[in-house]
Amino acid sequence: MSESQSIVDGMVVTMHYKLALDGGQVIDQSEGEEPLAYLHGAQNIVPGLEEALTGKSVGDSFDVSVPAEKGYGPRAEEAVQTVPRSAFPDGSALEAGVSFQATDQNDRPIMGTIEAVTDDTVTVDFNHPLAGRNLNFSIEVVGVRPATDEETTHGHAHGAGGHHH
Ligand code: ZN
């Protein structure tokens, strides 16, 4: 029954994807793994990709280039912050390039990446690693089905390729 269903809000979509930066560097892909499942219309994926998937159905394959504004947003210079070394627990590995998880003002988890370290300070970039980047997706839709009530309540897909809990 699901073969002809097209993607609208409230559907669980299963897809294979490949994500490349401008220049062709592939940074993420589902090949060799189970396809990704997400709940359409619930901001599980970046807005530009969600827009491109709207109306597609099983078997559709397409490429879409999502600009940063509809991806992870532009880079914000104010998201680069210099903090005292003492803000980190003793024994932390403090060197450029190291990523760690912190929490923002709203207590939500965010990733920080250390840009520079001095004797007294650590400069951290809290921008999403893909902020300011165009995202070039290759997509193959492999499943479309209505979300269960539980998935709708949780705001994400369950089962293979989705959340397990
Ligand atoms: Zn859930």
Side-chain angles (χ1 to χ4, degrees):
M1 81 181 209
S2 64
E3 294 277 321
S4 61
Q5 285 183 312
S6 58
I7 298 172
V8 294
D9 288 357
M11 301 296 259
V12 169
V13 179
T14 311
M15 63 179 176
H16 276 297
Y17 68 94
K18 186 164 79 174
L19 171 57
L21 298 177
D22 288 351
Q25 183 197 356
V26 175
I27 54 169
D28 195 12
Q29 60 183 324
S30 61
E31 190 181 325
E33 298 173 29
E34 62 186 347
L36 175 75
Y38 79 94
L39 176 59
H40 196 80
Q43 284 123 42
N44 292 172
I45 60 175
V46 297
L49 181 57
E50 195 161 62
E51 267 176 35
L53 278 153
T54 301
K56 297 287 197 292
S57 50
V58 172
D60 284 345
S61 294
F62 64 97
D63 293 337
V64 58
S65 187
V66 174
E69 299 71 51
K70 290 189 172 183
Y72 291 97
R75 277 184 59 80
E77 284 318 308
E78 61 269 28
V80 179
Q81 295 173 8
T82 299
V83 298
R85 262 187 111 106
S86 57
F88 291 84
D90 285 344
S92 300
L94 298 179
E95 52 184 278
V98 170
S99 294
F100 62 93
Q101 191 165 315
T103 49
D104 67 10
Q105 310 92 301
N106 302 316
D107 244 14
R108 291 188 305 195
I110 52 169
M111 289 297 291
T113 303
I114 295 176
E115 277 201 339
V117 182
T118 71
D119 286 347
D120 303 316
T121 65
V122 180
T123 301
V124 181
D125 185 353
F126 287 104
N127 283 292
H128 189 283
L130 293 175
R133 312 301 290 266
N134 294 325
L135 307 174
N136 303 295
F137 290 98
S138 297
I139 299 295
E140 181 191 354
V141 180
V142 295
V144 180
R145 63 168 171 83
T148 64
D149 290 345
E150 190 183 47
E151 287 171 324
T152 302
T153 303
H154 288 196
H156 54 226
H158 291 161
H163 285 248
H164 298 275
H165 64 125

